[in-house]
Amino acid sequence: MILSRTAAEAVLSTTGSGNKVRWLVSKEDGSTNYEMREIRIPPGGKSSNGSHEHEHVVYVLQGKGRFVGPKEEKILLSGTSVFVPGGDEHQWVNDSREEDLVFLCVIPSGSEDFLK
């Protein structure tokens, strides 16, 4: 079955860091390989700093921020894509004082169920 939904219809959760995660496509929808989320980090906010066994693919939709890795930092602007290999330590930082940092994040299905 093909799934189509708006962001407003997606399941919304909040992380311990206060960031919003919209589960646009998940294993609960029948996706056995990937899950796609919209992540929204408020002005001045950041994600936790950590690593996971699984890889991430990210595409920035809105805002300005930084990707902080173990050996480097990258500027994030609308239109930026990022690949994070499994096991690499990483953090997402919103450098704006006015605008949310918003990005799509694709991960292997079921790999971050603890956030739901």
Side-chain angles (χ1 to χ4, degrees), residues 5 11 23 25-31 35 109-110 113 116:
R5 72 162 53 104
V11 173
W23 295 87
V25 177
S26 69
K27 72 176 189 177
E28 287 78 13
D29 299 316
S31 179
E35 293 184 291
S109 191
D113 283 349
K116 294 180 184 174

Side-chain angles (χ1 to χ4, degrees), residues 47-74:
S47 70
S48 59
N49 187 16
S51 64
H52 318 281
E53 291 182 19
H54 58 276
E55 58 193 30
H56 293 58
V57 176
V58 166
Y59 184 76
V60 179
L61 299 171
Q62 171 188 316
K64 179 180 179 184
R66 286 176 290 131
F67 166 82
V68 181
K71 297 179 183 173
E72 62 185 328
E73 289 189 14
K74 297 287 186 183

Side-chain angles (χ1 to χ4, degrees), residues 30 92 105:
W92 311 96
C105 181

